[in-house]
Amino acid sequence: MADKVRNTASEALDGVLRDGMTIMAGGFGLCGIPENLIAAIHEAGTKNLTVISNNCGVDGFGLGILLGGAQIKKMISSYVGENKLFEQLYLAGELELEFNPQGTLAERIRAGGAGIPAFFTKTGVGTLVAEGKEVREFDGERYVMERGLKADLSIIKAWKGDAEGNLVYRKTARNFNPMMATAGAVTVAEIEQLVPVGTLDKDEIHTPGIYVDRIFQGATFEKRIEQLTTRPRAEKEAV
Amino acid sequence: MAWTRNDMAARAAKELQDGFYVNLGIGIPTLVANYIPEGVSVTLQSENGMLGMGPFPYEGEADPDLINAGKQTITELASSSYFSSADSFAMIRGGHINLSILGGMQVAQNGDLANWMVPGKMVKGMGGAMDLVAGVRRVVVVMEHSEKSGAPKLVKRCSLPLTGAGVVDLLITDLAVFEIDGGGVRLTELASGVALEEVRAKTEADFAVAL
């Protein structure tokens, strides 16, 4: 068996990065993002990237650091509202942007990884999203054709993984990671805990190892919180 | 007296039925969770991949791996489940969610909704709104009746880019409640102390009165 395990993010990306490539990056907001791999791409200085990710991080963290390094040429996202630098670069014409409805983005990636070149959805019919795309009627309702999406490289984040590349995600940090794992020509996974093969419950593996080419345990996970919302302790007694 | 944001949320909560799976948008719709009627049990879906959203965590107990679609830290319930974004939108697009409550910029008399983009301003993106209005069985919009400028938001035809065409089933504003279907718009309730004349004066869309 090919050895998939690497020691660091830069080792895991060795020989994979090139200018102008398309990268899928998992995560929703800052939740479940491959922060070690993003930092390594920043360090490598790879340029003219097309990045497919639901969001684009925040200023100075997540994919935001690749914007800071002027490494991204184009973003394919559903929502980018949390990032001032993004806005500046976009308004200055230095960044291309393609908005996809979130569910369409998720399904395009799922389809890309599953060998489905296109599909029809009712999301976006009659809106700007459908412009220039084939619209077809099925059973009396109109649907718009969307294309499957693939990438040269998928960078994803999981909670636990093993040397086979089997992955388990944690809570809402799963989000786009499982589909992106299937849609990259090369998929690199960073995990919080590398566990011995055989210790993950085989019935509870979210991403089977076939989709993962390289895997490493991240050095540190900052796991920054975007909107910390809590309720006061006093309520606890009241309940 | 027009309804406050909380009044509007409380009115929207009356649309919840026992056993419903519900997706609440950001802003006033989020407040609806505070007004779930007694004896009604609903399951809240968060489109980033969770069914059974719990309340905000206690101070010091926030988990960065557990957020809602507004990126706020939340908690899980005994009944919660997690899934991928593709599964989440399969639920939404596939018509498995009973009710979506979301905000609006404009609603037209044919049920069109605009709530994601103002031309000439920085566009943040539509997120999951287009999928929700296209796929969820019943779509309720909660918004102020007029712009700050006084311009009407319930209009004959949306001037802003659409989020969905012919998707709105019920509109709740600070002045009134409107049902919308193939037959047009029907005003069914007035906010307490609001006169029909005021609603007429502040509405561009044609509507029937069915109080």
Side-chain angles (χ1 to χ4, degrees):
Chain A
M1 190 196 91
D3 187 10
K4 299 181 178 182
V5 180
R6 300 290 187 276
N7 291 314
T8 64
S10 4
E11 236 178 74
L13 292 170
D14 186 43
V16 173
L17 297 176
R18 59 172 197 279
D19 290 349
M21 76 190 310
T22 297
I23 300 179
M24 282 182 188
F28 181 93
L30 300 179
C31 182
I33 60 170
E35 50 182 281
N36 289 277
L37 286 163
I38 292 168
I41 293 170
H42 181 240
E43 224 164 89
T46 319
K47 293 248 191 300
N48 288 322
L49 299 172
T50 295
V51 176
I52 301 166
S53 189
N54 189 56
N55 314 95
C56 196
V58 296
D59 289 319
F61 193 66
L63 290 171
I65 66 172
L66 300 187
L67 287 177
Q71 292 171 271
I72 301 179
K73 180 186 69 175
K74 180 179 180 182
M75 281 299 304
I76 301 177
S77 300
S78 88
Y79 188 84
V80 295
E82 319 297 343
N83 201 312
K84 285 196 189 69
L85 180 60
F86 191 104
E87 185 171 339
Q88 285 166 21
L89 292 171
Y90 178 71
L91 294 175
E94 287 165 35
L95 186 61
E96 290 171 56
L97 173 59
E98 178 187 322
F99 278 128
N100 283 193
Q102 196 176 135
T104 295
L105 182 62
E107 190 63 14
R108 291 184 71 192
I109 298 164
R110 195 197 71 79
I116 296 171
F119 59 92
F120 285 87
T121 173
K122 52 187 170 178
T123 300
V125 170
T127 76
L128 289 177
V129 163
E131 276 180 15
K133 295 174 185 165
E134 184 184 341
V135 173
R136 202 188 287 184
E137 197 173 301
F138 296 91
D139 305 321
E141 205 162 342
R142 290 190 307 149
Y143 296 79
V144 58
M145 189 177 82
E146 295 282 0
R147 300 292 311 272
L149 267 180
K150 291 186 204 181
D152 301 311
L153 169 67
S154 285
I155 55 173
I156 64 164
K157 155 77 185 13
W159 179 34
K160 292 179 182 177
D162 65 21
E164 283 289 335
N166 295 315
L167 302 177
V168 175
Y169 307 95
R170 184 171 178 274
K171 302 186 188 284
T172 56
R174 191 181 319 184
N175 55 64
F176 282 81
N177 285 296
M179 296 85 75
M180 288 184 173
T182 70
V186 176
T187 292
V188 180
E190 69 175 70
I191 54 175
E192 291 179 51
Q193 293 173 43
L194 185 66
V195 300
V197 170
T199 56
L200 294 174
D201 184 333
K202 292 156 187 61
D203 276 325
E204 292 182 358
I205 288 167
H206 298 134
T207 292
I210 189 170
Y211 297 115
V212 177
D213 299 289
R214 298 176 183 184
I215 187 168
F216 70 100
Q217 187 171 303
T220 54
F221 287 93
E222 182 180 335
K223 290 199 186 183
R224 202 182 286 187
I225 291 175
E226 215 163 322
Q227 305 278 348
L228 179 65
T229 42
T230 57
R231 56 191 157 136
R233 281 271 169 194
E235 269 185 43
K236 204 171 197 173
E237 278 77 52
V239 168
Chain B
M1 261 302 283
W3 277 331
T4 63
R5 288 163 58 88
N6 280 314
D7 294 337
M8 291 158 74
R11 175 58 190 84
K14 290 187 184 169
E15 299 303 311
L16 304 174
Q17 292 177 26
D18 196 37
F20 264 19
Y21 292 95
V22 180
N23 185 293
L24 300 178
I26 293 163
I28 301 175
T30 306
L31 301 174
V32 173
N34 300 332
Y35 297 96
I36 298 171
E38 210 162 316
V40 170
S41 168
V42 298
T43 302
L44 299 179
Q45 199 246 19
S46 190
E47 64 264 28
N48 55 318
M50 181 183 198
L51 270 173
M53 252 199 292
F56 294 142
Y58 293 114
E59 284 166 30
E61 290 179 6
D63 181 342
D65 288 338
L66 182 44
I67 63 169
N68 63 17
K71 285 123 188 169
Q72 297 171 312
T73 47
I74 51 166
T75 56
E76 62 186 17
L77 305 171
S79 56
S80 301
S81 57
Y82 300 110
F83 34 84
S84 72
S85 301
D87 286 330
S88 178
F89 283 94
M91 267 171 220
I92 290 167
R93 204 188 301 105
H96 304 278
I97 306 287
N98 299 92
L99 182 71
S100 170
I101 303 179
L102 65 176
M105 294 175 180
Q106 286 180 334
V107 171
Q109 61 193 33
N110 63 354
D112 289 358
L113 170 68
N115 76 351
W116 75 283
M117 178 181 181
V118 179
K121 288 196 180 169
M122 177 64 196
V123 181
K124 293 181 171 187
M126 69 289 280
M130 285 192 179
D131 309 279
L132 284 160
V133 299
V136 172
R137 282 184 246 167
R138 183 167 162 82
V139 173
V140 174
V141 171
V142 182
M143 68 178 189
E144 304 292 332
H145 200 88
S146 310
E147 301 277 0
K148 286 197 180 74
S149 67
K153 297 174 72 171
L154 176 54
V155 293
K156 289 187 191 297
R157 207 178 170 78
C158 291
S159 57
L160 296 172
L162 297 187
T163 306
V167 294
V168 179
D169 297 299
L170 189 79
L171 169 65
I172 299 168
T173 75
D174 52 332
L175 301 183
V177 179
F178 301 88
E179 281 175 17
I180 304 176
D181 58 26
V185 182
R186 279 183 316 284
L187 183 149
T188 56
E189 279 175 62
L190 288 167
S192 46
V194 170
L196 181 58
E197 292 68 43
E198 181 183 357
V199 177
R200 281 201 198 284
K202 292 180 174 171
T203 305
E204 183 198 283
D206 299 323
F207 63 88
V209 179
L211 287 168

